[in-house]
Amino acid sequence: FYARCRCSRPSPQRGSRFLAVRYRRWIVVNEVRLLASLHHPNVIDYKQSFVEDGCLYVVMEVVPHGDLAALIA
């Protein structure tokens, strides 16, 4: 299995940067929910996700022959 970290730590002030970070976090959470709902032989299996030290880790199966970009290049 493979875990990838997606980190974003908002600044303490509540300005436009804070809202942008919250929006990106919302997008990432929705992406993880979508990935968890997909069950298809041509889509990499989602295993679990967790937050540790403010970073979101997504655990997925490993593709045996590398990534798609390397395969079609």
Side-chain angles (χ1 to χ4, degrees):
F1 300 111
Y2 175 76
R4 180 176 179 200
C5 175
R6 299 282 303 259
C7 291
S8 62
R9 292 187 176 91
S11 60
Q13 69 234 26
R14 289 191 167 263
S16 61
R17 179 175 158 81
F18 177 80
L19 292 176
V21 169
R22 286 190 59 175
Y23 179 70
R24 283 190 306 236
R25 184 174 291 163
W26 179 80
I27 287 177
V28 169
V29 167
N30 282 329
E31 182 180 337
V32 169
R33 286 181 183 154
L34 175 66
L35 182 62
S37 71
L38 295 176
H39 302 287
H40 190 275
N42 295 333
V43 177
I44 297 172
D45 282 340
Y46 164 88
K47 299 301 181 188
Q48 70 177 17
S49 60
F50 59 93
V51 176
E52 185 175 293
D53 295 329
C55 291
L56 171 65
Y57 291 86
V58 179
V59 181
M60 301 166 31
E61 72 176 321
V62 175
V63 178
H65 302 291
D67 61 5
L68 180 60
L71 185 64
I72 61 175

